Amino acid sequence: VNGADDKIQQPSSTVIETCVGHTHFASLPGMWDRTVTISSAGKTFSATGWQVGWCIGPEHLISPIHQLLPYVQFCASTVMQEALARSLPAADQPYKGFSSYYEFLKDHYTKKRDLLGNALIAAGFGVPNYDTTPGGGFFIFARIGKNIANAIPKRLLHAANPAAPGGIQRQDWALCQWMAKEKGVLCIPSSPFFSRERAMEGASDQFIRIAFCKTNDTIDEAASCFLKLANNNNDDDDDVGEEEVLRLVGPRVPIAMEET
């Protein structure tokens, strides 16, 4: 920050509220007057469809947002705004054995992340080491292992696809298409998170993005599909049983709250 151009503004998006170890950008020296902190009830309180959130910052940055907002989000639900206003102070209180709702939420999704991550590792994917890398978000950016890559039908690799960069689906698109159509698991190609040039060079070929903001039953079903790939078993009629899932992934840790 030191020596930075004073005209540079810093948007800071925080859709999961404060947990231990998180530092708000605006709290850093000299950054309050240059930072807009944007947050949302969608992820924190599992209310994504209502699109209710807030911005915090100095008046000279918030005022233009007020002017723009009517053209973007004309009228947020009054009921949801009231619910959010009541939820924010309540979320700081002890919740289900945790010091706050935010600590509960972190633990809740960490268990889901690990459940899916163990299944991906057992199937031959690489996942980040969350002891040394950031672990925020609802997604795992998984590296496609050699055995997984070899299992992708050749007819799907480099096939025409107008949605893919350059109109040709590379390995990440081919795997996601195959998993969605033939295995019943919907993943996201990684190329949208790269520049078009880097994607065309193949930088995104080895990765897919997978969400774990699902019920445990859904994660277990996905784990079964991934483990089929690990066993070189492409027969959809021959399910990997629960015992095999538990053997490779480990026992499921009970979680009190499920999405609806």
Side-chain angles (χ1 to χ4, degrees), residues 1 4-14 22-39 54-65:
V1 173
D5 188 339
D6 288 340
K7 295 181 180 179
I8 296 176
Q9 310 301 332
Q10 174 64 41
S12 176
S13 177
T14 307
H22 174 72
T23 300
H24 282 285
F25 207 93
S27 70
L28 299 176
M31 293 307 300
W32 165 254
D33 283 339
R34 299 160 58 186
T35 303
V36 176
T37 300
I38 305 170
S39 198
W54 60 94
C55 298
I56 300 174
E59 183 178 355
H60 70 278
L61 296 180
I62 296 298
S63 180
I65 295 175

Side-chain angles (χ1 to χ4, degrees), residues 214-227:
K214 307 293 180 182
T215 65
N216 285 340
D217 288 341
T218 297
I219 294 176
D220 281 345
E221 290 180 21
S224 177
C225 292
F226 285 126
L227 293 174

Side-chain angles (χ1 to χ4, degrees), residues 221-244:
E221 290 180 21
S224 177
C225 292
F226 285 126
L227 293 174
K228 280 187 182 182
L229 301 181
N231 295 335
N232 294 317
N233 179 4
N234 295 330
D235 183 1
D236 288 337
D237 293 329
D238 187 9
D239 290 334
V240 175
E242 183 176 355
E243 291 184 1
E244 180 70 359

Side-chain angles (χ1 to χ4, degrees), residues 92-109:
D92 289 324
Q93 303 304 312
Y95 186 79
K96 292 192 175 183
F98 292 86
S99 62
S100 70
Y101 168 75
Y102 302 122
E103 287 300 314
F104 161 79
L105 192 69
K106 178 182 177 181
D107 180 78
H108 176 70
Y109 280 109

Side-chain angles (χ1 to χ4, degrees), residues 136-156:
F138 292 155
F139 310 97
I140 294 176
F141 211 64
R143 183 187 295 273
I144 302 169
K146 183 178 180 180
N147 290 341
I148 301 296
N150 290 338
I152 301 172
K154 303 303 181 187
R155 59 183 169 79
L156 298 179

